[in-house]
Amino acid sequence: MSTRPANSFAHTTLEALLKTDEKIAHLKDGEYSKAASPERFESARTALESKGFKVTVAQNRDEAFETLKTLIPEGASVNVAHSTTLEEIGFIDYLIGETPYNNVRSTILAEKDLAKQAELRRTIGTTVDYFLTSMAAVTETGAMAHGDFTGSKVGGVAFGAKNVIVVVGSNKIVKDVEEAYKRTVEWCVPAASAFSREVFKAPGTTLSNYELLLSANPFAPGRIQVLLVNEALGF
């Protein structure tokens, strides 16, 4: 039986934001909010493995939460890029409490001087043992794509962290790298802008950095793991 915590960030899920932000009304019932078919799911899983990524499958968010805990060894240093997916499976709430990890995320957030906090994100935040994140898109050809505004997310994934675990729902499976960029720009950026308006009272956000992972690093096999969830999660 899962011990997954309730999501205390439920007010920033896509479902919640659609109710409060008319600027993203066009995303309601969009194709990218739905779980992929079994055939597309299997295509993406097989392709990711063929590109050298280690893939673990979870059938739902309860299983994803329990599985993710087993992928991180006790005592490992852990940081998290902001991820609605990780919030929805309960892992962010889990990290807020007592865990067997060295929770670098808590150290960063404990620093209230924003300039110093940004420096911590750049240094200890991207060089942890395990960097947890999601993706904007996963292709049926085995590529993954994501982006951010500041670079703190793509930096940890590209090189900084010793290990990366990507938790991604099947709603993010797309045909190819061209559609991955389309999903990122036309779906994820508007949703992330709604998040910024809700949380930071900002006018929105922009895509400053875009990273496309075409295959695993042959010199660091297994560095990037993918926890592929057979359920719609996140933006």
Side-chain angles (χ1 to χ4, degrees):
M1 184 175 179
S2 177
T3 58
R4 178 173 67 89
N7 180 15
S8 65
F9 304 90
H11 62 294
T12 57
T13 62
L14 180 61
E15 180 182 9
L17 292 172
L18 281 167
K19 295 177 181 177
T20 59
D21 195 324
E22 61 182 17
K23 292 183 179 180
I24 59 167
H26 63 288
L27 300 184
K28 183 175 175 60
D29 299 322
E31 61 176 316
Y32 294 139
S33 65
K34 298 175 175 62
S37 68
E39 294 77 18
R40 294 195 85 186
F41 186 90
E42 184 60 20
S43 293
R45 183 194 68 77
T46 302
L48 285 166
E49 290 181 336
S50 74
K51 295 298 180 68
F53 298 110
K54 180 180 178 181
V55 181
T56 304
V57 169
Q59 294 302 322
N60 52 54
R61 59 192 68 194
D62 283 341
E63 189 176 325
F65 171 75
E66 296 298 339
T67 301
L68 182 54
K69 289 193 295 182
T70 70
L71 298 179
I72 309 170
E74 184 174 338
S77 59
V78 176
N79 192 26
V80 182
H82 175 259
S83 167
T84 301
T85 295
L86 288 166
E87 291 172 350
E88 288 180 356
I89 71 168
F91 207 79
I92 301 303
D93 283 288
Y94 170 68
L95 285 177
I96 291 173
E98 293 294 324
T99 74
Y101 318 127
N102 172 10
N103 190 350
V104 172
R105 178 179 183 272
S106 293
T107 301
I108 294 171
L109 294 180
E111 176 55 68
K112 301 308 178 185
D113 183 293
L114 294 182
K116 292 179 180 179
Q117 186 183 104
E119 182 63 7
L120 290 176
R121 290 183 188 279
R122 185 186 71 81
T123 53
I124 64 171
T126 59
T127 56
V128 288
D129 295 327
Y130 283 81
F131 189 79
L132 312 182
T133 188
S134 189
M135 287 284 153
V138 174
T139 76
E140 291 185 76
T141 56
M144 295 187 286
H146 69 142
D148 65 11
F149 178 56
T150 65
S152 61
K153 183 172 184 283
V154 299
V157 172
F159 189 73
K162 185 175 182 180
N163 297 279
V164 176
I165 301 178
V166 174
V167 184
V168 63
S170 70
N171 55 310
K172 299 185 179 183
I173 297 174
V174 298
K175 180 181 178 181
D176 51 29
V177 295
E178 287 77 21
E179 190 180 1
Y181 184 72
K182 176 183 177 182
R183 189 186 192 282
T184 302
V185 172
E186 297 182 8
W187 182 271
C188 298
V189 172
S193 290
F195 173 88
S196 293
R197 287 189 286 273
E198 172 67 24
V199 175
F200 304 119
K201 311 308 175 188
T205 190
T206 59
L207 183 68
S208 299
N209 305 281
Y210 183 69
E211 181 176 46
L212 188 62
L213 286 74
L214 297 174
S215 66
N217 182 346
F219 300 106
R223 175 182 175 265
I224 298 179
Q225 303 182 59
V226 183
L227 178 53
L228 189 61
V229 188
N230 199 9
E231 186 177 343
L233 290 167
F235 298 159

